[in-house]
Amino acid sequence: MLNTLKKYFGYDSFRPMQEEIISTIIDSKDALVLMPTGGGKSLCYQIPALMMEGTAIVISPLIALMKDQVDALRLNGIKAAYFNSSLTNSEKSAVVNALQAGELKLLYLSPERLLAEGGYFMNLLKKTKISLFAIDEAHCISQWGHDFRPEYSALGRIKQEFPGKPLIALTATADGRTKEDIIQKLELTKAKKFVSSFNRANIKYTIYPKQDSRKKLLQLLKGFKDESGIIYTLSRKSTERISEYLIEQGYNAKAYHAGLPQNIKSQHQDEFIKDKVDIIVATIAFGMGIDKSNVRFVIHMDLPKNIEGYYQETGRAGRDGLDSEAILFFSRGDVMQLKGFIEIEDNEEQSAVLLQKLDKMVRYCESVVCRRKYLLEYFGESHEGNCGNCDVCLTDYEMIDGTVLGQKALSAVVRLKESFGTGYVIDFLRGSKSAKIKDWHKELPTYGVGSDLSKKEWSHYIQHIVDQAYLKIDTGKFPLLKLTNKSMLLLKGKDSLELIKYKSPLEEEVSYEVISYDQGLFAALKTVRKELAEEYNVAPYLIFSDKTLQELAQYIPLEYNDLGRISGFGAIKLKSYGMPFLECIQAYAIEHGLETKITEKAMPKRKKQSQDTTLKRTDSARESLDLFKQYNDIAEVGELRNLKLSTIEGHLIAFIETGELSVNDLVETSKKQKIEEAIKSVGPNERLSLIKSKLPEDVSYGEIKAVIASYKRG
Ligand code: ADP
Ligand code: ZN
């Protein structure tokens, strides 16, 4: 198995579960595989297909996906084909001939194709030597899933028609009910079940309030220069508006939605896949057939309808395992709109299922628990502790006592007789002179009691008050603010309220980690890849993933034989593409005086890991460190680099953990002692804000973090 993996795919080891799944199929047993997008499902049937006699039949719902997979297999020297309506008649008969001659290791078919047309294909397959059946996107068979396809229903016949052949069903998305449905409909009761962790550790999840979202979007995109990404929006119109806006701002973006002519859609998709377009702004119509592995970010401008869809869409980021981001702009306004969309006429039961799914999506956005934990628990998986790679985990929420603030908001709602929306209530609280505010409202005692806060602050706090159910937004025709059964407790002072302190979302910086590979060489290798892709007329990432190119730019192999040690170089790819990449590396190395680091690649695992962490220190952080050593003043470094103090502090604190800086470099001894006492009094794992509350004003969060970092260092 390992030999096959190395020879055809150029990988050195299996991912979790792949090995057991492959053995199960080779033993002629059935398998049900639940694995997240990017988990490596394809290899689970491709390796058995290569090792077993006969042809593997792969059922896949999308034509685009079939072509992509077959292209990828052929580049690795594997005999594969697909049969669908996109082929000409002569191409079709060539495929059938190859199948009958037993030349194909894999054949991709749509479910309609297998089961329809007077049993043509069924009969053909009966006369063919078949190794296995694989059913991709198996959740499409269930009405309980979010992507039901009636044509999948009949796939249950496979088990009856080919009882002895192993069948493997694969999906990246199935809740408990859907899973049971798959098992029942495909007659997989005896199948071995493999449920791998759905955690996509390399994806960072972030949610921003949907305010100034375009401005925020631009700011985010600065962190993804020249990278590939998908921006999802709800409506076709907004895909066009946003893509136009981005183009005006100098980005290389294209729109994609179901209303565009077929040729434009394919063109835009193709340009994206071939790295000719960086950003696709799309409705969810985009992506099902896309396996592009170097998508670095997925941004949702609007609220998705359910967690399944959201997880699948965000899962399109980072299939190559490199750090990637999933960003979502959330507003309650979207919820109302979506509710209208998802109700299905004359089907109360299914409408209820979908509304419940929407509700879970909203709770995901509003809750202050680790995003990953929430997502994994949604899919029935538990997650120990916090992930450290989502906005919730990465933010030190500063809590404030919001009792008085809440009372002000609630009494405004009372005075206004629960008849106005958030905007009006805020204007009223702030004592707006606008003519919009009715004159008699200006006479009321609550008018203007909240003039100390900005509109944005009020909107943040009211939202958070709603989250905690001291107010609710009416679900009727207008989103009016209403009291709840908890309101009176707060108004009468019987309840107190904690609120997350408002922080302007625009102040935050987007930082992006860069693994230390040679950027110039990486760019040069990308060019080679693009040229080869043009020549062979395939997508660049099918030739090599970004990860492979980064490894090349990191380890700089200078001899042909060393290339084989880079992940992604199978025997065929080494032969077909080894030389052009090698020549590029050699030329670059000579020009820039670089030496090979290939021996580091072979280091024992343990050592390599520690090496990787130092390599991963961001270049930006290192620059801060160097300047700090020169000037010994954080403010000065901040000014020189035009970055916020807290950012520089963050950079430097990381070096306390590695031991390259001492805590004494950053914190005065007297302060350090006070901080240590405060930590002792509350315990080291407490929230930073609590520790800070025990200390004098002039002690900063950065200084507290520095001391904690020195503890971690031990
Ligand atoms: P899925 O179908 O589950 O979304 P894929 O089968 O497309 O995932 O695999 C995602 C990526 O991971 C592909 O680029 C694939 O080549 C790569 N991959 C799969 N298995 C391995 C492995 N054992 N080692 C390295 N890369 C792998
Ligand atoms: Zn987290």
Side-chain angles (χ1 to χ4, degrees):
M1 273 157 55
L2 261 179
N3 284 344
T4 310
L5 180 72
K6 181 75 189 162
K7 179 172 162 208
Y8 287 102
F9 300 96
Y11 301 136
D12 292 319
S13 56
F14 283 106
R15 295 232 181 109
M17 312 213 117
Q18 284 179 330
E19 215 163 353
E20 294 120 276
I21 298 168
I22 294 167
S23 312
T24 304
I25 301 301
I26 292 181
D27 278 354
S28 272
K29 297 199 187 94
D30 299 337
L32 172 65
V33 175
L34 271 80
M35 213 186 247
T37 316
K41 285 188 287 300
S42 321
L43 285 189
C44 296
Y45 57 82
Q46 288 168 349
I47 299 237
L50 288 167
M51 296 177 66
M52 294 163 81
E53 266 184 68
T55 307
I57 306 300
V58 185
I59 309 295
S60 165
L62 285 150
I63 292 181
L65 197 66
M66 290 185 202
K67 175 165 169 23
D68 210 49
Q69 292 248 1
V70 169
D71 280 349
L73 289 166
R74 287 184 182 159
L75 286 178
N76 282 320
I78 297 166
K79 288 237 158 54
Y82 58 90
F83 189 102
N84 64 34
S85 54
S86 75
L87 299 183
T88 62
N89 280 341
S90 66
E91 284 169 332
K92 281 182 186 164
S93 46
V95 172
V96 171
N97 288 342
L99 176 71
Q100 285 173 325
E103 284 167 6
L104 296 176
K105 289 318 290 178
L106 295 109
L107 175 67
Y108 285 73
L109 291 176
S110 65
E112 304 87 309
R113 190 60 68 173
L114 174 69
L115 300 157
E117 283 176 41
Y120 171 74
F121 245 99
M122 224 28 156
N123 288 332
L124 191 60
L125 294 186
K126 285 261 164 90
K127 287 182 238 150
T128 312
K129 185 155 182 62
I130 288 176
S131 54
L132 63 100
F133 283 92
I135 298 180
D136 209 0
E137 313 283 356
H139 62 276
C140 294
I141 203 167
S142 170
Q143 296 206 50
W144 305 121
H146 63 293
D147 195 19
F148 173 55
R149 286 163 186 258
E151 65 275 17
Y152 259 65
S153 305
L155 290 176
R157 269 178 57 202
I158 294 179
K159 235 11 308 172
Q160 291 158 16
E161 305 270 355
F162 301 89
K165 296 292 171 196
L167 190 154
I168 173 172
L170 311 102
T171 174
T173 151
D175 57 21
R177 200 145 50 141
T178 311
K179 192 174 119 193
E180 287 313 312
D181 224 17
I182 298 174
I183 292 174
Q184 192 218 326
K185 296 226 163 84
L186 289 177
E187 303 192 9
L188 287 176
T189 34
K190 292 212 191 86
K192 263 185 118 167
K193 280 123 204 136
F194 297 91
V195 181
S196 90
S197 169
F198 269 54
N199 188 11
R200 296 288 310 279
N202 62 319
I203 299 181
K204 175 176 158 190
Y205 300 94
T206 307
I207 293 177
Y208 290 108
K210 194 166 165 179
Q211 286 160 2
D212 292 326
S213 52
R214 284 204 181 179
K215 204 160 146 196
K216 182 76 199 166
L217 176 66
L218 280 192
Q219 206 191 19
L220 288 165
L221 291 180
K222 282 196 197 133
F224 297 110
K225 220 173 152 295
D226 299 330
E227 308 267 26
S228 285
I230 307 172
I231 299 175
Y232 283 110
T233 73
L234 197 58
S235 75
R236 297 176 178 187
K237 255 226 164 65
S238 56
T239 65
E240 289 176 8
R241 268 193 246 124
I242 293 178
S243 65
E244 277 161 23
Y245 173 69
L246 292 179
I247 291 165
E248 274 167 32
Q249 301 290 329
Y251 286 94
N252 187 354
K254 287 277 164 74
Y256 187 105
H257 60 73
L260 291 171
Q262 188 55 44
N263 62 327
I264 300 286
K265 278 194 296 188
S266 331
Q267 187 198 333
H268 289 182
Q269 172 167 331
D270 198 56
E271 287 171 335
F272 179 63
I273 287 175
K274 294 191 172 157
D275 288 346
K276 290 176 185 164
V277 159
D278 293 330
I279 301 171
I280 280 283
V281 188
T283 59
I284 54 169
F286 180 79
M288 257 302 240
I290 306 273
D291 260 349
K292 187 173 164 67
S293 69
N294 61 340
V295 175
R296 288 277 75 82
F297 61 92
V298 170
I299 298 177
H300 284 88
M301 301 301 289
D302 306 301
L303 186 67
K305 296 190 187 100
N306 48 54
I307 301 271
E308 285 92 340
Y310 169 75
Y311 205 63
Q312 201 164 39
E313 283 138 32
T314 55
R316 298 196 172 113
R319 282 179 189 239
D320 51 14
L322 299 176
D323 286 352
S324 307
E325 298 211 29
I327 294 159
L328 165 72
F329 289 102
F330 173 70
S331 115
R332 275 228 150 235
D334 283 359
V335 185
M336 304 293 148
Q337 203 186 352
L338 280 178
K339 276 193 178 155
F341 283 168
I342 62 179
E343 261 171 288
I344 302 173
E345 257 176 66
D346 299 331
N347 194 339
E348 250 175 61
E349 197 187 5
Q350 226 183 353
S351 296
V353 170
L354 296 177
L355 281 172
Q356 236 175 41
K357 285 187 190 285
L358 173 63
D359 191 51
K360 296 262 170 65
M361 186 70 222
V362 174
R363 270 195 249 163
Y364 167 74
C365 297
E366 289 185 340
S367 65
V368 198
V369 302
C370 168
R371 308 274 181 218
R372 194 175 312 273
K373 211 176 159 95
Y374 185 102
L375 289 169
L376 291 176
E377 280 169 8
Y378 181 84
F379 291 112
E381 193 178 321
S382 61
H383 185 267
E384 282 291 310
N386 292 342
C387 78
N389 194 24
C390 74
D391 57 341
V392 176
C393 288
L394 291 169
T395 312
D396 293 313
Y397 285 104
E398 201 176 327
M399 303 303 285
I400 57 167
D401 180 355
T403 310
V404 173
L405 207 151
Q407 286 168 341
K408 286 180 185 173
L410 267 54
S411 55
V413 172
V414 174
R415 294 283 175 187
L416 295 174
K417 304 207 157 45
E418 303 178 73
S419 310
F420 293 87
T422 312
Y424 193 94
V425 172
I426 291 175
D427 284 344
F428 174 77
L429 277 163
R430 299 186 68 242
S432 160
K433 304 272 184 298
S434 153
K436 265 195 327 196
I437 306 290
K438 302 184 190 335
D439 282 339
W440 69 91
H441 284 161
K442 292 181 181 160
E443 311 287 314
L444 295 171
T446 324
Y447 173 71
V449 292
S451 58
D452 52 329
L453 297 180
S454 71
K455 271 191 189 183
K456 281 188 183 162
E457 283 170 298
W458 267 118
S459 138
H460 162 87
Y461 289 126
I462 288 185
Q463 191 173 321
H464 202 194
I465 292 168
V466 171
D467 291 348
Q468 300 189 53
Y470 285 99
L471 280 176
K472 65 180 176 196
I473 295 175
D474 195 25
T475 48
K477 204 161 159 207
F478 301 106
L480 308 178
L481 278 176
K482 301 269 183 192
L483 300 178
T484 68
N485 52 8
K486 281 169 81 180
S487 301
M488 274 307 142
L489 293 173
L490 185 64
L491 275 170
K492 289 185 182 151
K494 289 187 179 152
D495 250 5
S496 65
L497 177 64
E498 261 209 331
L499 293 171
I500 293 176
K501 188 171 179 199
Y502 175 80
K503 220 168 71 185
S504 164
L506 294 173
E507 273 170 23
E508 290 159 38
E509 281 185 38
V510 185
S511 69
Y512 199 66
E513 261 206 346
V514 195
I515 299 178
S516 126
Y517 53 86
D518 191 299
Q519 304 270 349
L521 179 52
F522 180 55
L525 292 168
K526 267 184 161 171
T527 310
V528 174
R529 178 174 69 176
K530 211 168 183 168
E531 285 164 7
L532 283 171
E534 296 260 312
E535 194 181 323
Y536 289 81
N537 192 27
V538 291
Y541 70 89
L542 289 180
I543 301 230
F544 285 122
S545 69
D546 280 15
K547 180 151 183 185
T548 298
L549 299 193
Q550 286 185 6
E551 271 200 17
L552 288 172
Q554 181 177 355
Y555 296 111
I556 317 178
L558 294 174
E559 312 218 357
Y560 185 77
N561 286 338
D562 290 340
L563 287 178
R565 285 156 83 169
I566 300 293
S567 169
F569 270 89
I572 297 289
K573 283 196 176 170
L574 187 60
K575 266 201 215 125
S576 342
Y577 313 122
M579 278 323 281
F581 284 99
L582 188 65
E583 279 164 13
C584 168
I585 299 168
Q586 287 169 337
Y588 189 92
I590 291 170
E591 193 183 332
H592 295 84
L594 300 180
E595 288 183 20
T596 183
K597 293 185 194 158
I598 194 72
T599 47
E600 289 175 16
K601 171 88 181 147
M603 275 203 292
K605 273 234 162 84
R606 265 244 198 94
K607 252 192 171 161
K608 198 175 126 214
Q609 262 173 11
S610 64
Q611 170 100 20
D612 274 350
T613 46
T614 35
L615 281 175
K616 264 196 172 173
R617 273 292 137 259
T618 62
D619 291 350
S620 173
R622 190 135 309 272
E623 198 177 329
S624 298
L625 177 69
D626 292 344
L627 286 170
F628 181 75
K629 283 186 175 159
Q630 247 171 299
Y631 294 94
N632 201 15
D633 183 298
I634 297 182
E636 180 97 41
V637 179
E639 214 142 284
L640 286 167
R641 301 209 54 203
N642 201 13
L643 288 174
K644 275 199 315 181
L645 287 193
S646 57
T647 309
I648 307 288
E649 270 178 351
H651 288 165
L652 297 178
I653 286 163
F655 290 107
I656 294 183
E657 277 182 48
T658 65
E660 286 167 86
L661 270 182
S662 148
V663 61
N664 301 323
D665 295 332
L666 294 183
V667 190
E668 286 168 32
T669 323
S670 63
K671 273 193 190 171
K672 191 177 126 197
Q673 278 165 358
K674 283 185 201 148
I675 296 170
E676 282 171 344
E677 278 161 26
I679 293 174
K680 254 187 223 137
S681 76
V682 300
N685 296 324
E686 252 315 327
R687 265 217 295 275
L688 281 182
S689 51
L690 188 67
I691 301 174
K692 182 151 181 356
S693 70
K694 308 263 176 221
L695 286 162
E697 272 297 306
D698 68 326
V699 176
S700 72
Y701 276 107
E703 287 167 324
I704 300 171
K705 285 189 198 160
V707 174
I708 293 177
S710 72
Y711 284 174
K712 286 193 194 149
R713 172 86 189 150

